[in-house]
Amino acid sequence: MARPWERLLEQLVHERYGTLVGWATLVCGSREDAQDLLQDALVATFSSRARFTTLPEAEQYVRRAVATRSIDAARRRGRERVAIGTVAGYAAAPAPGVEGHHLPADVVRALAGLTQRERACVVLRHLEDLSVRETAGLLGISEGAVKRYTSDGVAQLDAVLGGVTVESHDAMTVQPLRRAGAPTEVTER
């Protein structure tokens, strides 16, 4: 007889895997890395002592685990680049076919052009609708850093995209991307 967490894991993978891979691709910029991150997050989530009883709770826990692991991986890559004397910047490749999201391809490409922290902050703040405090706690950075990375990321997206409406899987709309320092409105449809 399957334990409750096993049934929940099976249900999550069966019903939400494509969406979770798509979301992880937005966070890390590479579909291959996203699949690895998601696998690690699923193992960590369901092997820990986390207490969740519903599919949405489990999915949120996995999403946060993906974001945290993505930032950790970026930190490791940064340390490795410094160690070997590489000064070239990291340029993420555009993510093809982000399932479960209604983001235009140019938005996905523009997100891939952001730094890892900018991308994580923009995705968590504007697509996941987390607060500055929640984002800071999740990423292990200060609230001021979240504001700076989010502002810089939104400014870069606006420069690349020229102000556009971005829709997430939760039917949230970012009305249009604004210049650095200006707040971005997030509205429920």
Side-chain angles (χ1 to χ4, degrees):
M1 183 170 156
R3 290 178 270 188
W5 70 266
E6 290 171 330
R7 287 190 300 275
L8 193 56
L9 171 60
E10 185 177 308
Q11 182 182 6
L12 180 66
V13 170
H14 178 70
E15 293 178 17
R16 304 296 294 164
Y17 185 79
T19 300
L20 287 169
V21 169
W23 185 84
T25 301
L26 290 175
V27 171
C28 73
S30 159
R31 184 170 178 78
E32 293 77 25
D33 290 344
Q35 290 172 327
D36 290 342
L37 280 171
L38 179 56
Q39 188 69 27
D40 290 346
L42 286 167
V43 168
T45 298
F46 285 92
S47 65
S48 72
R49 300 224 180 251
R51 301 284 182 220
F52 41 80
T53 57
T54 67
L55 185 63
E57 288 173 347
E59 183 176 355
Q60 279 301 81
Y61 199 100
V62 169
R63 285 174 182 255
R64 290 189 174 142
V66 165
T68 302
R69 280 165 175 68
S70 177
I71 293 298
D72 290 346
R75 286 181 186 146
R76 275 191 309 277
R77 284 191 304 270
R79 286 191 301 268
E80 290 167 2
R81 278 195 301 272
V82 169
I84 62 172
T86 304
V87 291
Y90 173 76
V98 180
E99 298 139 4
H101 293 276
H102 306 288
L103 296 174
D106 59 335
V107 173
V108 173
R109 281 190 298 276
L111 280 169
L114 300 178
T115 68
Q116 184 65 37
R117 287 208 176 165
E118 289 170 344
R119 182 172 42 247
C121 286
V122 168
V123 168
L124 291 172
R125 291 279 296 122
H126 295 294
L127 296 178
E128 285 299 306
D129 197 28
L130 295 182
S131 69
V132 171
R133 177 173 284 144
E134 291 169 326
T135 302
L138 181 64
L139 300 179
I141 59 178
S142 71
E143 291 181 26
V146 169
K147 291 175 186 177
R148 187 187 82 229
Y149 288 125
T150 303
S151 177
D152 291 350
V154 168
Q156 186 173 337
L157 290 174
D158 190 45
V160 170
L161 300 171
V164 12
T165 299
V166 179
E167 296 179 17
S168 78
H169 68 284
D170 293 327
M172 309 246 350
T173 305
V174 178
Q175 296 291 337
L177 297 174
R178 302 202 186 269
R179 300 281 177 231
T184 303
E185 301 169 28
V186 178
T187 57
E188 292 282 342
R189 285 200 282 171

